[in-house]
Amino acid sequence: MRKRTPIIAGNWKMHLTSAEAIQLVDGIHYGLPFPGEVEVIVATPFLSLPEVARHLRDSYIGIAAQNLHFDDQGAFTGECSGKQIKDAGADYVIVGHSERRQYFAETDEIINKKIKAAYRNNLIPILCVGETLEERETGEFSAIIGRQLAVGLLDLTGPDAAKLIIAYEPVWAIGTGRTALAEQVEDVHRLIRVSLAFKYGGMVADAVRILYGGSVKPANSRELLTLPNVDGALVGGASLNAPDFIEIIKSID
Ligand code: 13P
């Protein structure tokens, strides 16, 4: 019996037109009408989000955006706010994905403002943390993840922290086909939970779902998802294919 309801989330990144997105979620639904004790989420691009959300209104699949601006409105050309994302039908939002940190210069301070904007708009943030290959090899990774959590979650109250979803995504395992070893994954997940317990107490730390992301596929999902501190997966490439995504959901026991 699991302590926490697991989550399988698909991050579609900058893929799929609206028509393709509808076809994919239909494929998931027809292929898996009853997912069991698991929350399933898809993180769509902004443009397909409203249509997918409308289409999935009575479905078990929840909707996430992949990013948000930290203000609720204003002169920020090309951005979307938490208020607009909520209005479009999402209940979750990915914050601080490594691709945003790397290509869009998002700092932990910006990510903290985005986390606050998510809660202000009733969106549950999926905070991504993780180290680069260099940080893994130099052994700095625990300090880096500690900082990402400390600054990213600054000023967060205990009740809000309990609703949080964290995704550990080692940058060197994203889109590379190279998955972290089960032992490396469990070590970092445990570290994250211990640091949450230190900051918010054991009850909050026990409630937070910590997902693993980085080349998760049907061939490795079962091993990763049975680790004691792994509460699900954030899946990139394999979430674009209904049969693969279903296999990953089914690997939750
Ligand atoms: P891949 O599963 O394609 O490695 O992507 C992981 C990821 O970045 C999910 O957010």
Side-chain angles (χ1 to χ4, degrees):
M1 181 67 184
R2 285 179 177 266
K3 252 189 183 167
R4 298 165 282 273
T5 306
I7 297 174
I8 301 294
N11 176 8
W12 293 349
K13 307 192 180 182
M14 199 173 67
H15 293 287
L16 310 177
T17 61
S18 292
E20 288 164 347
I22 298 295
Q23 206 178 0
L24 175 58
V25 292
D26 279 348
I28 299 167
H29 251 280
Y30 294 127
L32 187 67
F34 305 105
E37 277 296 295
V38 52
E39 283 175 38
V40 179
I41 298 170
V42 290
T44 71
F46 286 137
L47 286 175
S48 55
L49 194 152
E51 192 169 337
V52 173
R54 260 194 307 276
H55 191 75
L56 293 179
R57 194 172 290 141
D58 299 316
S59 134
Y60 64 80
I61 303 178
I63 310 285
Q66 299 173 12
N67 178 35
L68 79 169
H69 192 270
F70 51 72
D71 276 337
D72 291 343
Q73 57 188 19
F76 299 105
T77 302
E79 290 289 301
C80 284
S81 73
K83 191 173 169 187
Q84 292 169 321
I85 290 167
K86 184 74 189 181
D87 176 63
D91 290 313
Y92 306 87
V93 60
I94 296 176
V95 180
H97 191 280
S98 64
E99 287 150 16
R100 304 249 10 128
R101 294 177 190 258
Q102 194 178 346
Y103 306 130
F104 301 95
E106 283 193 14
T107 61
D108 290 319
E109 289 73 14
I110 293 172
I111 289 163
N112 177 244
K113 288 198 204 179
K114 293 187 172 196
I115 293 275
K116 289 174 180 160
Y119 281 110
R120 198 166 59 234
N121 289 290
N122 263 320
L123 291 163
I124 295 182
I126 305 173
L127 170 65
C128 298
V129 297
E131 79 283 4
T132 61
L133 184 57
E134 197 190 333
E135 292 158 351
R136 163 64 54 180
E137 283 171 348
T138 57
E140 280 173 286
F141 63 96
S142 40
I144 296 288
I145 293 165
R147 182 189 148 82
Q148 289 171 341
L149 289 173
V151 180
L153 301 179
L154 211 64
D155 302 328
L156 196 65
T157 64
D160 276 348
K163 293 184 226 155
L164 183 69
I165 301 167
I166 294 179
Y168 168 53
E169 299 205 312
V171 178
W172 47 274
I174 296 177
T176 58
R178 188 173 158 184
T179 328
L181 300 172
E183 197 183 288
Q184 295 172 319
V185 174
E186 177 58 19
D187 276 355
V188 174
H189 281 233
R190 197 181 319 107
L191 178 94
I192 293 171
R193 205 172 302 284
V194 167
S195 76
L196 291 171
F198 190 69
K199 200 162 167 187
Y200 301 105
M203 289 239 297
V204 169
D206 272 350
V208 173
R209 268 84 59 87
I210 308 175
L211 318 182
Y212 170 75
S215 299
V216 175
K217 44 188 181 272
N220 60 25
S221 55
R222 191 170 295 274
E223 186 192 10
L224 294 163
L225 292 168
T226 48
L227 295 168
N229 280 294
V230 174
D231 306 307
L234 182 55
V235 186
S239 74
L240 296 170
N241 174 282
D244 283 354
F245 194 55
I246 289 172
E247 275 314 299
I248 295 170
I249 299 169
K250 284 187 23 220
S251 62
I252 295 268
D253 47 22

